[in-house]
Each structure stands twice: as C-alpha cells, then as structure tokens.
Amino acid sequence: MTKSYYREILDFRSRGQIWEEYRRASEPFDPLDVEEIDCILPMPDRSGVLIITEDDILISEQSPLTTLQAFSFAHCFPDHKILSSALQDIGHFGKYKFPWACPYFSLCPMEGGSNSVWINPLKIENVHAYGGLLNGIKLAIPIQRYYALVRSEIACGILAAIRQDHFHFSMYGDQPMDYLDLPDTSFARSLKKRPLLKTFVTRKYEVHRRYQRARFLHYYQELADAPQEIDWENWH
C-alpha cells in the first residue's frame, strides 16, 4: 500500500473510495499468521472488518468480536467474554466496554456495541479533534480524546496486570509502567500520568485466578444448560 493512502482519513461511519483502496490492498485474515494487531475497523455499509497490523492490511467477513474470538482461539489467548466477567468481578477496571487482552498486547473498544473500532493503545500516536493518528494512519474515532485516554489506560493497566501474572514477565518490577513498552509519543506521555499505570490495583496472580474461576463457571454453566445424553450400555 502506498504512502498516499495515509493522507486520507478512515471513517468507518462513512463509505468512501479510500475504503475500497484499503480493501483491494488487503489479504484474507488468517489468525495463525498474525502476531499482533494494531486495530480492527468495521467496514462501512457492509459486513466485515479490516485488520491493520504493523506490516499488513487484512480483511475478515466476520464482526470485530468474532474476529477477536477466532484470533484468541488460534493462539490460546484469553476469551474476551470470560475475561470481561473476571474483570467485572475484580471491580477496579470499570463495569463495561472491557478491552481485549493477552500477555503480549491489548485492544480497547472506542465505543460500545458489537461493531466497535478496536485499537492497540500503544500504537496510538495522538488523538485530535478530528480523529486519531495510528502509526501514520488517520482514523476518525467516535469519542473525545479524554475518553480515548481513559479506555487506553484501562487496556494498558489490564495488560500490565496480566503480564505481572505471566512467567515471561513476572520479574519486571513493582509498577504497571515496568511492564509496558510505551513509545515516545504525545499520547503515550499522557498515558504515563494516568493512575492505573502508576500502581497495581490487583494483587499478583489475581487476574489469572479470577479468570480461571470465571472460565470454569462459564463452561460448567454451558454443560448444565445443555447436558449430554450418555449411552450407559456402551460406556467404557
């Protein structure tokens, strides 16, 4: 994709020629071939999403949440619905619009609902009155800078808490900032001042423990709601 595309503003609420150019430049989304996602953008006036990574533009015919679910399943990352239940139980990260997170990166929804824009907060360069700037790609996002900052703060705080529980990162330090590779951007400098990135609001292994409990209850309830008939005569 040529750099000339980046001068255009992508607005998922308004269809334009730039969307067709991105779509034609995209490749089919294979979750196993993707390591990290910069953002997921719903396509205007049609089903499907664009998945922006550091090197590629990919396309999926699924909704944003279904695309995230496929990515999580392919990489054995936390299920978003179950993680949201665990985070709600913890109570320090709000009550709704929970981010998606794994030990390696997080994505925050820029609005509610199943068709939201999802953005990796560590990839945001800045947010202006007309939209956001994401690694050179300009996006029209549906919320003000302050709320984008709050959503990003929660996503980064959860990412730090998950990393603190993960053996690859567990000895990094005692503060959330010790677990985050914040870039030298205007948006990241604002993030550094946010309270959730100064002090952990969860105990070590609390997110992991709450997630495993919520995961057990989730699948137990699924079995209880749809019990399987067992053929005892042929049981071995």
Side-chain angles (χ1 to χ4, degrees):
M1 191 173 65
T2 64
K3 291 292 184 181
S4 62
Y5 287 20
Y6 295 167
R7 291 194 294 268
E8 302 285 345
I9 297 177
L10 278 171
D11 186 344
F12 78 99
R13 297 162 297 184
S14 177
R15 188 183 181 102
Q17 181 61 31
I18 184 61
W19 282 101
E20 293 304 315
E21 294 178 8
Y22 269 76
R23 187 179 64 82
R24 285 195 295 267
S26 66
E27 298 290 336
F29 173 63
D30 182 347
L32 286 173
D33 288 339
V34 177
E35 293 184 357
E36 185 171 342
I37 295 172
D38 287 357
C39 67
I40 299 177
L41 304 173
M43 296 283 286
D45 301 328
R46 58 172 291 172
S47 61
V49 295
L50 290 179
I51 300 100
I52 310 295
T53 71
E54 184 176 350
D55 301 313
D56 298 303
I57 300 173
L58 309 168
I59 190 168
S60 167
E61 297 302 321
Q62 305 297 324
S63 70
L65 281 176
T66 303
T67 299
L68 277 174
Q69 184 179 19
F71 182 77
S72 298
F73 181 81
H75 294 275
C76 298
F77 288 151
D79 179 279
H80 177 258
K81 182 178 180 179
I82 300 174
L83 179 62
S84 296
S85 175
L87 295 173
Q88 188 174 39
D89 188 41
I90 290 172
H92 294 296
F93 301 105
K95 296 296 182 181
Y96 65 105
K97 298 180 184 177
F98 290 107
W100 176 96
C102 73
Y104 305 103
F105 69 99
S106 61
L107 297 167
C108 54
M110 288 292 112
E111 60 177 352
S114 61
N115 213 35
S116 176
V117 175
W118 291 78
I119 296 181
N120 184 334
L122 298 184
K123 301 294 184 178
I124 299 175
E125 294 182 11
N126 208 352
V127 177
H128 307 281
Y130 62 82
L133 185 64
L134 180 80
N135 280 355
I137 298 175
K138 296 177 181 179
L139 307 175
I141 58 177
I143 61 175
Q144 298 175 356
R145 188 180 192 276
Y146 170 76
Y147 294 106
L149 192 63
V150 170
R151 303 272 172 80
S152 298
E153 172 194 6
I154 293 172
C156 288
I158 292 168
L159 173 62
I162 290 176
R163 285 184 168 182
Q164 187 190 36
D165 293 351
H166 200 277
F167 69 93
H168 284 309
F169 307 95
S170 60
M171 300 302 292
Y172 273 27
D174 299 322
Q175 298 178 343
M177 284 294 301
D178 296 329
Y179 293 83
L180 300 172
D181 301 318
L182 290 180
D184 185 19
T185 63
S186 175
F187 193 76
R189 287 191 288 271
S190 296
L191 266 180
K192 290 179 181 179
K193 303 174 184 177
R194 302 300 302 174
L196 282 180
L197 303 191
K198 293 181 178 180
T199 304
F200 279 110
V201 295
T202 54
R203 298 182 299 275
K204 195 170 184 179
Y205 303 121
E206 182 177 1
V207 173
H208 175 77
R209 178 176 58 82
R210 296 285 189 110
Y211 176 79
Q212 294 303 325
R213 179 179 181 273
R215 184 172 181 269
F216 170 80
L217 293 175
H218 172 79
Y219 288 112
Y220 177 83
Q221 189 61 50
E222 281 194 349
L223 288 173
D225 291 342
Q228 301 296 312
E229 293 185 3
I230 298 176
D231 183 1
W232 294 105
E233 291 184 359
N234 296 315
W235 179 261
H236 298 287

